[in-house]
Amino acid sequence: MSEFDTIIRGGTVVTASDTVRADVGIRGGRIVAVAESLTGGAKEIDASGLLVMPGGIDSHVHLAQPAFGGPAMADDFESGTRSAIAGGNTTVLPFALQPRGASLRQSVMDYHKEAEGKCYCDYGFHLIISDPTASVLGQELPALVEDGYTSFKVFMTYDDLVLNDRQLLDVFDCARGCGALVMVHCEGYDAIRFMTQKLEAAGKTAPYYHGTSRPQSVEREATHRAISHAELTDVPIMVVHVSGREPMEQIRWAQQKGLKVYGETCPQYVALTAEDMKGLNMDESGGKYVCSPPPRDHASWDAIWEGIRTGVFQTFSSDHCAFYYEGEMGKLNPKARTSFRWVPNGIPGVETRMQILFSKGVVEGRITLNEFVALTSTNHAKIYGLYPKKGSIAPGFDADIVLWDANRKETITQSLMHHAADYTPYEGMVVTGWPVMTLLRGKVMAEDRRIVGAPGDGGFLKRELSPYAVPAGSGGAMGMAGA
Ligand code: DUC
Ligand code: ZN
Ligand code: ZN
């Protein structure tokens, strides 16, 4: 009998801390050896000339959710995870959304039904809390955290999701009590409504004005408010999808004060701008790029890189939230043509996240290879309770591995994509660096653009409490240290 099921031979192993020439031995779906030279594999994969990195963990994707103010999402769990695995990812963390009035537990069970047997990569769920009733805060949330749903997302905007300040504080307090990590969508609801009404009254309804309706000041104000509430309740928070300098500086300020405030940014904030939302002649095609917060400008790209390089951001996620462009279900649906207000918010990106960061980050000299691994995999595992099962290459970790050709030049185009959406917002972008093979727990799932695994190969991940969610200990304004 062979010592290893598979040996990955001759590659350069890259983790968040090291870059070494080594072979990787896999047995029973886990990494059991990393050494200069291994023998005794039932199967060998030649990785010479390739980087051998932990599979990507994308901790922010939306699959099979009812839309953000519009039609259903394009990607279900099958197409979304197919796209993820093709892009070098082995774990995704989508959301289980509680509609107002619904039980949170029932909502989670509904998402499980959607996902069961369909996934090409492993998955867990963050909970979206839209209705923090006494029973949700007192019973459902603590029980769900115990069951491995150890992070929630809350929104400061959207009619169906927005929480007021008191509700935010209640959710933060509950998270502190049960050790969960809170992700916050920081954009101010009233400011956006005010701006939207003004713009519509002036006839400014094209997709471009989506960006005008939610400028950085709206994101900055909400980020500051969320940070202040987190300080008051002494709870760590993750500010998600940060788009530019103003919110980035709020997070940096909080971190310098010693608060446990983490930051996430996404490809759209270093690769798209508000100009993209103009489309051709200010027409509806700009709707392809409508997401929230909106893409900004080149100065914002620089600010985001500054935040990445200086450690303000721990995670680089896709915020994959795909809608069709054409058709009744698309971004161009008849109602959406009447105003940007009705264009569903979100863009596809789980399949292109790693290539964009690699190309603009590593190849263009802004970050190191090890930082790339931290930003795309290791930090996600550590922050969301998946470490040391996921997120590195060392004995004991799941054999979730991407073989990466650092020199391969590709032009991103819709025909290469495995998502269900009918476009990619990154059409025509030339990138250097591409995943050539993705292994999930030792099984080859994608090989040079071909999906060779099956739906159902991916499984549900019950997550541990995050060490990053441990309160700083001030006890907040109530002085509850140790409480
Ligand atoms: N927030 C997200 O996290 N994703 C898509 C749209 C949004 O507002
Ligand atoms: Zn959001
Ligand atoms: Zn999102």
Side-chain angles (χ1 to χ4, degrees):
M1 198 178 126
S2 311
E3 192 175 349
F4 305 109
D5 300 332
T6 305
I7 293 174
I8 300 176
R9 181 177 299 292
T12 298
V13 174
V14 186
T15 67
S17 54
D18 302 303
T19 306
V20 289
R21 233 290 308 129
D23 295 346
V24 179
I26 298 169
R27 194 171 54 231
R30 295 198 312 152
I31 296 164
V32 291
V34 179
E36 260 180 61
S37 178
L38 294 173
T39 52
K43 172 180 165 180
E44 294 216 352
I45 295 172
D46 179 13
S48 40
L50 299 174
L51 304 179
V52 180
M53 301 192 284
I57 300 175
D58 193 338
S59 58
H60 189 154
V61 306
H62 302 266
L63 302 174
Q65 254 179 248
F68 284 93
M73 287 177 182
D75 277 318
D76 61 10
F77 282 84
E78 185 166 339
S79 61
T81 57
R82 184 176 67 213
S83 187
I85 205 99
N89 302 282
T90 46
T91 295
V92 293
L93 296 180
F95 296 85
L97 183 152
Q98 174 207 24
R100 290 226 172 103
S103 132
L104 195 52
R105 172 71 69 175
Q106 185 56 48
S107 308
V108 171
M109 296 328 294
D110 292 345
Y111 279 87
H112 269 291
K113 239 182 263 155
E114 289 285 333
E116 184 82 47
K118 289 194 188 153
C119 293
Y120 287 90
C121 66
D122 287 350
Y123 61 97
F125 291 113
H126 309 290
L127 310 173
I128 291 179
I129 317 298
S130 71
D131 202 1
T133 60
S135 70
V136 165
L137 296 172
Q139 285 108 45
E140 289 202 296
L141 266 177
L144 284 161
V145 172
E146 284 219 341
D147 290 349
Y149 307 90
T150 54
S151 47
F152 337 136
K153 184 175 179 195
V154 290
F155 286 77
M156 297 172 79
T157 189
Y158 292 121
D159 292 341
D160 299 339
L161 299 172
V162 60
L163 301 190
N164 62 33
D165 286 338
R166 174 57 201 262
Q167 291 172 315
L168 288 171
L169 287 160
D170 285 337
V171 173
F172 286 10
D173 195 37
C174 172
R176 187 184 197 277
C178 45
L181 186 64
V182 192
M183 308 159 82
V184 193
H185 178 123
C186 297
E187 289 186 296
Y189 179 62
D190 285 326
I192 294 169
R193 287 210 310 171
F194 169 81
M195 289 298 290
T196 301
Q197 276 168 13
K198 289 270 184 206
L199 287 162
E200 284 183 343
K204 295 183 171 173
T205 55
Y208 175 74
Y209 296 106
H210 169 77
T212 317
S213 74
R214 43 222 303 158
Q216 275 200 63
S217 57
V218 168
E219 192 181 341
R220 179 196 66 215
E221 178 278 326
T223 303
H224 186 85
R225 189 152 39 99
I227 288 169
S228 301
H229 293 347
E231 181 179 8
L232 197 66
T233 48
D234 183 28
V235 74
I237 57 168
M238 166 66 81
V239 180
V240 292
H241 46 48
V242 174
S243 75
R245 176 167 300 282
E246 303 229 357
M248 185 276 282
E249 285 182 345
Q250 293 298 310
I251 299 167
R252 181 161 65 196
W253 168 81
Q255 290 169 349
Q256 284 171 352
K257 255 171 82 74
L259 300 175
K260 287 196 175 184
V261 175
Y262 312 114
E264 172 202 80
T265 192
C266 315
Q268 49 270 39
Y269 306 121
V270 292
L272 301 176
T273 70
E275 294 297 296
D276 290 309
M277 289 188 292
K278 283 190 174 161
L280 228 45
N281 306 316
M282 209 71 168
D283 67 14
E284 295 90 347
S285 70
K288 278 185 181 175
Y289 304 91
V290 166
C291 58
S292 291
R296 307 288 184 192
D297 55 16
H298 288 112
S300 300
W301 292 9
D302 293 343
I304 294 297
W305 283 118
E306 184 182 316
I308 290 174
R309 280 190 295 97
T310 58
V312 176
F313 299 117
Q314 292 72 42
T315 56
F316 189 85
S317 307
S318 67
D319 195 4
H320 178 91
C321 183
F323 295 96
Y324 298 105
Y325 174 57
E326 304 279 357
E328 293 287 306
M329 296 284 285
K331 288 205 170 221
L332 263 191
N333 69 76
K335 200 167 168 192
R337 286 174 192 268
T338 67
S339 168
F340 63 84
R341 172 205 292 250
W342 305 113
V343 179
N345 284 209
I347 56 176
V350 70
E351 194 168 343
T352 44
R353 168 185 76 122
M354 294 179 76
Q355 297 91 319
I356 291 172
L357 186 66
F358 192 88
S359 194
K360 285 179 170 278
V362 179
V363 177
E364 294 183 19
R366 294 183 174 97
I367 57 172
T368 65
L369 266 179
N370 311 99
E371 287 166 338
F372 171 80
V373 170
L375 286 158
T376 55
S377 182
T378 314
N379 290 352
H380 301 252
K382 288 182 173 173
I383 289 173
Y384 292 108
L386 290 169
Y387 198 84
K389 178 178 171 61
K390 306 283 191 189
S392 194
I393 295 185
F397 282 82
D398 281 358
D400 293 351
I401 293 172
V402 59
L403 304 190
W404 192 271
D405 184 344
N407 299 310
R408 180 151 157 188
K409 215 176 200 162
E410 289 279 0
T411 302
I412 296 175
T413 188
Q414 169 64 8
S415 63
L416 294 183
M417 298 293 112
H418 296 76
H419 57 211
D422 52 358
Y423 77 102
T424 162
Y426 304 108
E427 185 72 36
M429 181 182 294
V430 179
V431 289
T432 302
W434 200 263
V436 292
M437 186 181 284
T438 315
L439 290 88
L440 176 67
R441 286 178 271 106
K443 178 172 182 192
V444 178
M445 297 294 293
E447 198 171 353
D448 208 7
R449 295 186 189 151
R450 274 182 320 116
I451 304 294
V452 294
D457 283 345
F460 172 67
L461 296 165
K462 185 173 165 174
R463 291 178 290 122
E464 302 294 323
L465 290 179
S466 165
Y468 286 67
V470 174
S474 73
M478 299 280 285
M480 296 179 295

PDB file of all heavy atoms in Angstrom, residues 39-51:
ATOM      1  N   THR A  39       8.458  10.126  -1.586  1.00  0.00           N
ATOM      2  CA  THR A  39       8.201   9.021  -2.515  1.00  0.00           C
ATOM      3  C   THR A  39       7.051   8.204  -1.953  1.00  0.00           C
ATOM      4  O   THR A  39       6.689   8.342  -0.775  1.00  0.00           O
ATOM      5  CB  THR A  39       9.427   8.091  -2.667  1.00  0.00           C
ATOM      6  OG1 THR A  39       9.849   7.699  -1.351  1.00  0.00           O
ATOM      7  CG2 THR A  39      10.563   8.775  -3.406  1.00  0.00           C
ATOM      8  N   GLY A  40       6.498   7.348  -2.775  1.00  0.00           N
ATOM      9  CA  GLY A  40       5.456   6.436  -2.289  1.00  0.00           C
ATOM     10  C   GLY A  40       4.063   6.977  -2.445  1.00  0.00           C
ATOM     11  O   GLY A  40       3.215   6.761  -1.578  1.00  0.00           O
ATOM     12  N   GLY A  41       3.788   7.642  -3.546  1.00  0.00           N
ATOM     13  CA  GLY A  41       2.433   8.147  -3.791  1.00  0.00           C
ATOM     14  C   GLY A  41       1.688   7.255  -4.768  1.00  0.00           C
ATOM     15  O   GLY A  41       2.253   6.840  -5.776  1.00  0.00           O
ATOM     16  N   ALA A  42       0.429   6.932  -4.474  1.00  0.00           N
ATOM     17  CA  ALA A  42      -0.377   6.163  -5.423  1.00  0.00           C
ATOM     18  C   ALA A  42      -0.567   6.971  -6.705  1.00  0.00           C
ATOM     19  O   ALA A  42      -0.714   6.431  -7.794  1.00  0.00           O
ATOM     20  CB  ALA A  42      -1.730   5.837  -4.797  1.00  0.00           C
ATOM     21  N   LYS A  43      -0.551   8.299  -6.534  1.00  0.00           N
ATOM     22  CA  LYS A  43      -0.713   9.184  -7.682  1.00  0.00           C
ATOM     23  C   LYS A  43       0.244  10.357  -7.505  1.00  0.00           C
ATOM     24  O   LYS A  43       0.515  10.752  -6.368  1.00  0.00           O
ATOM     25  CB  LYS A  43      -2.168   9.657  -7.688  1.00  0.00           C
ATOM     26  CG  LYS A  43      -2.513  10.731  -8.668  1.00  0.00           C
ATOM     27  CD  LYS A  43      -3.993  11.084  -8.545  1.00  0.00           C
ATOM     28  CE  LYS A  43      -4.250  12.394  -9.251  1.00  0.00           C
ATOM     29  NZ  LYS A  43      -5.626  12.818  -9.186  1.00  0.00           N
ATOM     30  N   GLU A  44       0.763  10.856  -8.595  1.00  0.00           N
ATOM     31  CA  GLU A  44       1.645  12.022  -8.505  1.00  0.00           C
ATOM     32  C   GLU A  44       1.124  13.136  -9.400  1.00  0.00           C
ATOM     33  O   GLU A  44       0.614  12.867 -10.488  1.00  0.00           O
ATOM     34  CB  GLU A  44       3.068  11.655  -8.950  1.00  0.00           C
ATOM     35  CG  GLU A  44       3.741  10.676  -8.022  1.00  0.00           C
ATOM     36  CD  GLU A  44       5.230  10.925  -7.872  1.00  0.00           C
ATOM     37  OE1 GLU A  44       5.777  11.768  -8.613  1.00  0.00           O
ATOM     38  OE2 GLU A  44       5.844  10.288  -7.001  1.00  0.00           O
ATOM     39  N   ILE A  45       1.239  14.346  -8.920  1.00  0.00           N
ATOM     40  CA  ILE A  45       0.880  15.513  -9.734  1.00  0.00           C
ATOM     41  C   ILE A  45       2.144  16.334  -9.911  1.00  0.00           C
ATOM     42  O   ILE A  45       2.809  16.680  -8.927  1.00  0.00           O
ATOM     43  CB  ILE A  45      -0.219  16.348  -9.042  1.00  0.00           C
ATOM     44  CG1 ILE A  45      -1.527  15.535  -8.950  1.00  0.00           C
ATOM     45  CG2 ILE A  45      -0.452  17.663  -9.777  1.00  0.00           C
ATOM     46  CD1 ILE A  45      -2.618  16.198  -8.118  1.00  0.00           C
ATOM     47  N   ASP A  46       2.487  16.593 -11.149  1.00  0.00           N
ATOM     48  CA  ASP A  46       3.703  17.362 -11.431  1.00  0.00           C
ATOM     49  C   ASP A  46       3.412  18.858 -11.298  1.00  0.00           C
ATOM     50  O   ASP A  46       2.623  19.411 -12.064  1.00  0.00           O
ATOM     51  CB  ASP A  46       4.183  17.035 -12.849  1.00  0.00           C
ATOM     52  CG  ASP A  46       5.434  17.825 -13.210  1.00  0.00           C
ATOM     53  OD1 ASP A  46       6.054  18.428 -12.301  1.00  0.00           O
ATOM     54  OD2 ASP A  46       5.780  17.855 -14.410  1.00  0.00           O
ATOM     55  N   ALA A  47       4.050  19.476 -10.320  1.00  0.00           N
ATOM     56  CA  ALA A  47       3.818  20.909 -10.090  1.00  0.00           C
ATOM     57  C   ALA A  47       5.050  21.730 -10.441  1.00  0.00           C
ATOM     58  O   ALA A  47       5.178  22.881 -10.006  1.00  0.00           O
ATOM     59  CB  ALA A  47       3.414  21.143  -8.642  1.00  0.00           C
ATOM     60  N   SER A  48       5.956  21.148 -11.235  1.00  0.00           N
ATOM     61  CA  SER A  48       7.175  21.919 -11.499  1.00  0.00           C
ATOM     62  C   SER A  48       6.837  23.199 -12.270  1.00  0.00           C
ATOM     63  O   SER A  48       6.002  23.203 -13.167  1.00  0.00           O
ATOM     64  CB  SER A  48       8.233  21.079 -12.228  1.00  0.00           C
ATOM     65  OG  SER A  48       7.635  20.285 -13.197  1.00  0.00           O
ATOM     66  N   GLY A  49       7.453  24.260 -11.832  1.00  0.00           N
ATOM     67  CA  GLY A  49       7.191  25.567 -12.435  1.00  0.00           C
ATOM     68  C   GLY A  49       5.951  26.249 -11.885  1.00  0.00           C
ATOM     69  O   GLY A  49       5.610  27.358 -12.303  1.00  0.00           O
ATOM     70  N   LEU A  50       5.277  25.599 -10.939  1.00  0.00           N
ATOM     71  CA  LEU A  50       4.016  26.162 -10.414  1.00  0.00           C
ATOM     72  C   LEU A  50       4.148  26.519  -8.933  1.00  0.00           C
ATOM     73  O   LEU A  50       4.971  25.944  -8.216  1.00  0.00           O
ATOM     74  CB  LEU A  50       2.876  25.148 -10.580  1.00  0.00           C
ATOM     75  CG  LEU A  50       2.552  24.716 -12.013  1.00  0.00           C
ATOM     76  CD1 LEU A  50       1.498  23.606 -12.013  1.00  0.00           C
ATOM     77  CD2 LEU A  50       2.075  25.908 -12.847  1.00  0.00           C
ATOM     78  N   LEU A  51       3.295  27.434  -8.502  1.00  0.00           N
ATOM     79  CA  LEU A  51       3.163  27.705  -7.065  1.00  0.00           C
ATOM     80  C   LEU A  51       2.116  26.764  -6.503  1.00  0.00           C
ATOM     81  O   LEU A  51       1.104  26.472  -7.159  1.00  0.00           O
ATOM     82  CB  LEU A  51       2.724  29.156  -6.840  1.00  0.00           C
ATOM     83  CG  LEU A  51       3.616  30.236  -7.448  1.00  0.00           C
ATOM     84  CD1 LEU A  51       3.038  31.637  -7.157  1.00  0.00           C
ATOM     85  CD2 LEU A  51       5.042  30.141  -6.882  1.00  0.00           C
TER      86      LEU A  51
END
